[in-house]
Amino acid sequence: MKYLCLVYSDERVLHDSPDSPRDEECFAYAETVQQSGRMLAAEALQPVHTATTVRMRGGQLAITDGPFAETKEQLAGFYLVEARDLNEAIQIAGKIPAARVGSVEVRPVRQLDVAPAG
């Protein structure tokens, strides 16, 4: 089953805390998950000020610079993993280095039955 591990942190202090992970540690952890065969994708995101929020209301497209909501923690990145069950996905998420200074939301991915184009 696929699980999305959403990594949240306060980007203003993400790299300033004594517990903050360094890039090398994050790369090493991602490599470990990749070598285990459970990694489907992983990416870090640009800072929250680069976000654009898109809404469709009453047939009109509304675009707002910035994130959907002002929050203490922002979405910093994600891991898309294959795990036997939620417990295994939680174990993977708990070892994500950024979990020490932020949080990781683990959510099962719902499979959409979409016919391939063509």
Side-chain angles (χ1 to χ4, degrees):
M1 184 163 189
K2 293 178 187 173
Y3 290 88
L4 186 60
C5 301
L6 298 163
V7 179
Y8 291 92
S9 65
D10 182 341
E11 68 182 23
R12 294 171 297 159
V13 297
L14 174 61
H15 299 289
D16 297 333
S17 169
D19 288 332
S20 294
R22 300 293 170 235
D23 286 345
E24 300 78 24
E25 180 184 9
C26 295
F27 296 146
Y29 180 68
E31 181 67 25
T32 299
V33 178
Q34 177 72 36
Q35 289 177 354
S36 76
R38 295 179 294 190
M39 178 82 73
L40 300 174
E43 297 289 345
L45 299 177
Q46 293 291 334
V48 72
H49 75 269
T50 67
T52 300
T53 299
V54 178
R55 294 177 179 85
M56 181 65 77
R57 300 291 187 270
Q60 296 295 313
L61 186 63
I63 300 171
T64 306
D65 288 338
F68 173 72
E70 293 294 322
T71 61
K72 181 180 175 189
E73 294 184 331
Q74 297 82 34
L75 182 60
F78 70 90
Y79 288 75
L80 179 61
V81 299
E82 184 76 37
R84 286 185 308 275
D85 54 27
L86 178 59
N87 289 331
E88 184 179 32
I90 289 170
Q91 293 303 310
I92 294 168
K95 294 176 185 166
I96 295 173
R100 294 194 309 263
V101 294
S103 61
V104 179
E105 178 182 344
V106 178
R107 295 181 65 178
V109 174
R110 185 170 58 113
Q111 189 67 37
L112 297 177
D113 293 325
V114 178

